[in-house]
Amino acid sequence: MKRITIGAALLTSMLSFAQEKKDTIKSNDIEEVIVNGRYYQKYKLNEVSGSLRIQTPILELPQNVQSVSSQVLSDQITLNMSEGIVRNVSGARKVEHWDNVYSNVYMRGASIATFMNGMNVSSTWGPINPDASIIDRIEFVKGPAGFMGSMGDPAGFYNVVTKKPTGKFANSVRFTTGSYNLFRGEADLDGVLVKDGVLDYRINLMGSSNKSWVENDKTSKIIVAPSITFRPTKTTTFTAQYNYQYLKFNQPGAYLMSNDGYASLNVHTNFNDPNFKQTEVKDQSLFLSLDQKLFKDWVWSTQYAYMDLNYDGGSWWGTFDPANKNILNRTLSNWQAKGKNHIFQTYVRGTLNTGNIVHKIIAGFDYGDRRYEADFSSYSKIVDDKETLQFPIDIYNVNYGVDPTRLPSSDFYTLNTSAPFYNDQGVKYTSYYAQDQIEMFDNKLRLTLAGRYTSGKTYSAYPNLSPGTPIVPDTAGEFTPRVGVSYSINENFSAYGIYDKTFVPQSATGINNTKITDPFKGQNIEFGLKKDWFGGKWNSTFSVYEIRRKNILVSGPIAENGGNPFQVATGEQRARGFESDIKGEIIKGLNIIINYAYTDAKTIKDSEPANIGIQSPGNAKNVQNTWINYRFENGMMKGFGISAGYQYQGGRQSWYGVNAKKDQSLPDYFDTNFGISYVAKKFDVNLMLNNVLNRALYSGYR
């Protein structure tokens, strides 16, 4: 399905728009406009954000870090994390599940964690999709990063850096419209309350409404995000940011099910009924940070984040009628959930000199407490061993409008801690770490030595399914070393190598009812080359790596345990691959993003021989992206721009798992985009046509 999106942005005191006709817009005359449109697009970022703690330029880092600027998101008319941000980073890809709510991003053979302003905010079905209206940049950190955390998968993470006060007056508004009744308005109010940098403010507002390519689907979203920066002294900076997001939608994911294979149904088909309960999500987050300069370049930083996430909704699932393969019998269930995160960090960083050697030091403490509760109770009534509360549909002739009197009352949709399918899960950890980046030979050679000790516990249970059985957390304490080296071949060319480790607590029942407490362990070894070209206008990165995921729980031979099932922590997965990224201004006016990743991720140890060699869930062996943007800078075409891009994914594997009975491979994926734009001194207008080739693009699993 082709989709057209049009965006217009201005820095102004007043703006109004009128829709002219479908998929076109025009703007009324405006007053007092400040320059927003730029002929130069900032595609290449040289430094990581301060939220990553490290003080080293990207070129000199012994790690593959790819940053995506807000300018790139604007050029691509990217609205949120589900709208194609991953196309700008080699090997990163979005794997859908309840896609309206959150983004599940895979990289290097596994799902990666979500960080926000340097803090791990990952949770079950969360956090809510980061919206472009509050994003300053997104940083993809590939592989383990001991300077940020050591509990998690070794594939890496992405860090969303939110917009904060800049200390300048810059008020902008943006309006976006497009196919499927997309209407979206944004305002970014950035200014000064007390001059000389004493007190600055920024307020980001966004409201949107859009339908979907499937029938009976609509999503509404509101964001309010105020922030302030206060500097009571020249050495003290305090920043506070509050984000409120409200989301309402008909269904969490556009599921299609058929016994006849992919593309057998009309792409506009929707199995959700308009009379089924809509879902509302309220997400609140508070970020506080304090930076205190101690002496010279030594700084003490402290951060705290509180996040409160609430879901009020329902969901459906279905099984096919044994007597008619075209009849899907839907059943309804509750979806009440809440999540609360408390995250705290404090650390110092600075430099020390010992002769001609410079030490860049980071040392600190992390604490995290992330909890999630949910009630997934089904709306059920069993009569004569059969489910009677079903809502059948013919998948080839869907008729909408189920009888509302047969649907659950509002009393059903509550989070009941006594319900059978009440789920309680969480993560809690404390961590101490130190890192020394040793710069030698006038900073031509950099050696990183670091270590982190983390004590953590995780738990996940349905306590009411086993009444009287207490929830016993999985606990582990691990020291994870980090060794990195970076060498500057010249001022624009460097080579690096890195070794880093991660772990996750886990437990299981072993042979003879023994308790397995061996944690899941991951490690990464990687080498790469980085180069800035033509005075740093564009750069390239090439890396090769091997990731090992060890102590994966697999089934043991039941014959050795009297016929009783048990587990052993002997499973192992291996991901090997290489990645290449090119980004920046190649020639004047021409900006490109080109990347490619080959990822061979598979099971290499398992108690079931048939599983050995199977590709890891959610992986794609080949991912290649291209984005080109050209802006005319002279002549009659001055200010006009054209853009084009595509994303290709081949050798895809669904995220369902290696134990699935059916083939889990997915068709190749090829998405194309084309756009035209105009940038003036006072405004810019951008039109984007997505899926130019009008292909049916599938994700998910069999």
Side-chain angles (χ1 to χ4, degrees):
M1 302 105 356
K2 296 185 179 74
R3 187 185 68 184
I4 297 176
T5 310
I6 307 173
L10 302 97
L11 291 178
T12 179
S13 59
M14 187 180 79
L15 175 70
S16 62
F17 279 96
Q19 187 176 12
E20 192 173 47
K21 57 185 179 179
K22 184 178 180 182
D23 288 339
T24 65
I25 61 173
K26 69 176 183 179
S27 62
N28 294 340
D29 292 337
I30 57 176
E31 304 174 1
E32 265 326 296
V33 185
I34 303 173
V35 176
N36 181 41
R38 293 179 300 175
Y39 298 124
Y40 172 69
Q41 282 78 39
K42 188 70 172 178
Y43 276 31
K44 174 181 174 287
L45 300 175
N46 296 321
E47 310 285 339
V48 297
S49 70
S51 64
L52 290 186
R53 306 175 185 173
I54 46 183
Q55 313 166 62
T56 306
I58 292 177
L59 182 66
E60 299 175 359
L61 271 178
Q63 187 129 14
N64 191 343
V65 177
Q66 298 294 324
S67 292
V68 182
S69 70
S70 58
Q71 179 67 54
V72 173
L73 305 186
S74 177
D75 285 352
Q76 297 174 350
I77 314 188
T78 300
L79 305 183
N80 57 56
M81 196 69 193
S82 289
E83 288 284 334
I85 289 177
V86 293
R87 77 170 84 174
N88 301 295
V89 178
S90 61
R93 47 189 298 272
K94 183 172 59 69
V95 178
E96 285 86 350
H97 179 59
W98 289 9
D99 196 41
N100 253 334
V101 185
Y102 82 112
S103 291
N104 190 11
V105 178
Y106 271 61
M107 190 169 68
R108 294 189 172 184
S111 178
I112 63 176
T114 303
F115 280 57
M116 188 168 288
N117 295 322
M119 290 177 276
N120 191 338
V121 296
S122 302
S123 66
T124 305
W125 316 129
I128 287 183
N129 257 331
D131 192 272
S133 65
I134 61 172
I135 295 175
D136 179 69
R137 67 166 74 181
I138 300 181
E139 300 167 318
F140 287 79
V141 180
K142 299 191 172 193
F147 54 88
M148 295 301 296
S150 62
M151 268 183 57
D153 195 275
F157 65 90
Y158 68 90
N159 180 42
V160 177
V161 182
T162 57
K163 294 178 179 177
K164 299 175 182 64
T166 64
K168 301 177 181 179
F169 284 103
N171 300 324
S172 68
V173 293
R174 180 179 296 272
F175 178 74
T176 307
T177 187
S179 303
Y180 311 115
N181 293 86
L182 167 65
F183 296 97
R184 173 186 170 100
E186 303 172 47
D188 185 352
L189 312 177
D190 191 4
V192 176
L193 289 174
V194 181
K195 63 180 182 179
D196 298 326
V198 175
L199 184 60
D200 304 325
Y201 71 89
R202 192 165 187 175
I203 302 175
N204 288 100
L205 306 171
M206 193 283 296
S208 68
S209 175
N210 64 278
K211 293 184 178 180
S212 169
W213 68 90
V214 298
E215 299 173 315
N216 302 314
D217 189 21
K218 183 179 180 180
T219 300
S220 302
K221 191 174 185 179
I222 296 173
I223 291 178
V224 180
S227 59
I228 62 168
T229 295
F230 176 51
R231 298 178 181 87
T233 71
K234 292 183 179 180
T235 60
T236 305
T237 302
F238 172 76
T239 299
Q241 180 174 15
Y242 171 76
N243 294 331
Y244 173 80
Q245 299 186 74
Y246 172 80
L247 185 64
K248 186 176 183 179
F249 50 85
N250 289 74
Q251 63 173 5
Y255 289 114
L256 292 178
M257 306 172 192
S258 169
N259 287 298
D260 299 321
Y262 285 111
S264 58
L265 296 176
N266 187 312
V267 75
H268 301 295
T269 303
N270 188 355
F271 293 164
N272 192 65
D273 195 274
N275 289 333
F276 288 168
K277 179 176 173 60
Q278 292 183 317
T279 295
E280 295 181 71
V281 184
K282 297 177 181 178
D283 178 44
Q284 300 182 79
S285 57
L286 175 67
F287 295 92
L288 304 175
S289 66
L290 177 66
D291 292 328
Q292 177 63 54
K293 185 175 181 180
L294 301 176
F295 54 90
K296 293 185 178 180
D297 57 357
W298 281 83
V299 177
W300 170 44
S301 297
T302 299
Q303 290 193 104
Y304 170 75
Y306 170 73
M307 306 187 74
D308 188 335
L309 184 62
N310 285 274
Y311 296 87
D312 175 17
S315 63
W316 63 267
W317 203 246
T319 56
F320 282 100
D321 192 319
N324 188 338
K325 71 173 187 175
N326 294 341
I327 300 299
L328 180 71
N329 292 316
R330 295 167 298 178
T331 57
L332 301 181
S333 62
N334 195 2
W335 183 26
Q336 299 292 311
K338 61 181 181 181
K340 293 187 184 297
N341 293 349
H342 295 273
I343 306 167
F344 175 79
Q345 301 174 346
T346 185
Y347 59 95
V348 295
R349 63 182 180 186
T351 60
L352 289 175
N353 293 344
T354 55
N356 294 326
I357 297 176
V358 177
H359 301 263
K360 288 186 177 179
I361 295 173
I362 309 173
F365 168 79
D366 290 351
Y367 168 83
D369 185 359
R370 309 197 302 267
R371 187 180 182 188
Y372 177 85
E373 299 174 86
D375 180 5
F376 298 115
S377 300
S378 59
Y379 185 54
S380 176
K381 185 178 181 181
I382 305 296
V383 177
D384 297 330
D385 296 327
K386 291 185 178 180
E387 176 59 67
T388 59
L389 292 178
Q390 292 181 332
F391 303 90
I393 57 169
D394 185 335
I395 64 173
Y396 289 101
N397 185 26
V398 179
N399 291 312
Y400 301 105
V402 299
D403 183 357
T405 63
R406 298 187 62 226
L407 298 174
S409 67
S410 58
D411 295 340
F412 171 73
Y413 294 106
T414 58
L415 199 161
N416 183 2
T417 58
S418 301
F421 285 94
Y422 165 71
N423 178 221
D424 186 9
Q425 57 182 283
V427 177
K428 196 171 184 177
Y429 61 88
T430 58
S431 188
Y432 304 85
Y433 69 97
Q435 174 174 300
D436 184 7
Q437 181 175 292
I438 306 168
E439 299 178 351
M440 298 171 281
F441 309 113
D442 294 326
N443 197 29
K444 287 185 67 69
L445 177 64
R446 294 163 294 277
L447 175 65
T448 299
L449 301 175
R452 177 185 285 269
Y453 179 79
T454 302
S455 176
K457 59 182 179 182
T458 65
Y459 62 92
S460 179
Y462 290 88
N464 300 324
L465 294 179
S466 303
T469 303
I471 299 177
V472 179
D474 308 330
T475 60
E478 290 283 321
F479 174 79
T480 51
R482 172 179 170 86
V483 180
V485 63
S486 174
Y487 179 73
S488 295
I489 300 171
N490 58 46
E491 63 179 2
N492 296 311
F493 189 21
S494 67
Y496 74 91
I498 187 72
Y499 173 80
D500 212 338
K501 301 181 72 174
T502 63
F503 79 101
V504 177
Q506 64 180 2
S507 65
T509 301
I511 193 168
N512 298 323
N513 286 323
T514 56
K515 192 70 173 177
I516 297 175
T517 59
D518 297 335
F520 163 88
K521 293 186 177 183
Q523 69 178 39
N524 175 56
I525 186 168
E526 179 178 340
F527 301 95
L529 298 170
K530 301 179 183 181
K531 182 169 176 56
D532 282 350
W533 300 84
F534 296 99
K537 290 185 177 181
W538 61 280
N539 73 330
S540 59
T541 303
F542 179 82
S543 61
V544 295
Y545 66 90
E546 179 180 280
I547 287 176
R548 297 276 181 143
R549 299 176 176 87
K550 301 180 179 181
N551 289 354
I552 297 173
L553 295 171
V554 295
S555 299
I558 60 175
E560 297 179 8
N561 198 37
N564 297 313
F566 70 101
Q567 290 185 299
V568 290
T570 58
E572 185 173 339
Q573 293 177 353
R574 183 189 67 201
R576 286 176 175 170
F578 60 87
E579 300 160 334
S580 180
D581 291 83
I582 298 174
K583 184 185 303 179
E585 188 182 44
I586 301 299
I587 60 175
K588 193 172 183 180
L590 176 64
N591 280 273
I592 68 169
I593 296 174
I594 301 176
N595 56 66
Y596 171 75
Y598 172 78
T599 308
D600 180 21
K602 60 186 178 183
T603 298
I604 60 173
K605 290 183 181 180
D606 197 293
S607 58
E608 176 56 57
N611 291 337
I612 296 176
I614 291 181
Q615 196 174 175
S616 298
N619 187 49
K621 282 193 173 183
N622 296 282
V623 178
Q624 203 274 307
N625 301 288
T626 295
W627 172 261
I628 300 174
N629 179 284
Y630 181 73
R631 181 80 56 201
F632 295 92
E633 299 185 7
N634 299 292
M636 295 181 58
M637 296 293 291
K638 181 178 180 180
F640 282 95
I642 57 174
S643 55
Y646 64 83
Q647 181 181 78
Y648 168 76
Q649 300 177 19
R652 295 194 299 161
Q653 184 83 346
S654 89
W655 48 261
Y656 193 68
V658 297
N659 295 319
K661 296 180 180 179
K662 295 185 177 180
D663 175 25
Q664 289 296 294
S665 62
L666 297 175
D668 288 356
Y669 184 102
F670 188 66
D671 187 21
T672 48
N673 321 95
F674 178 78
I676 58 175
S677 60
Y678 178 72
V679 172
K681 191 175 181 180
K682 301 179 179 181
F683 65 91
D684 63 75
V685 178
N686 194 358
L687 181 146
M688 186 65 58
L689 178 63
N690 296 300
N691 195 12
V692 177
L693 299 180
N694 203 30
R695 296 184 56 162
L697 304 173
Y698 291 89
S699 64
Y701 63 93
R702 297 179 187 269

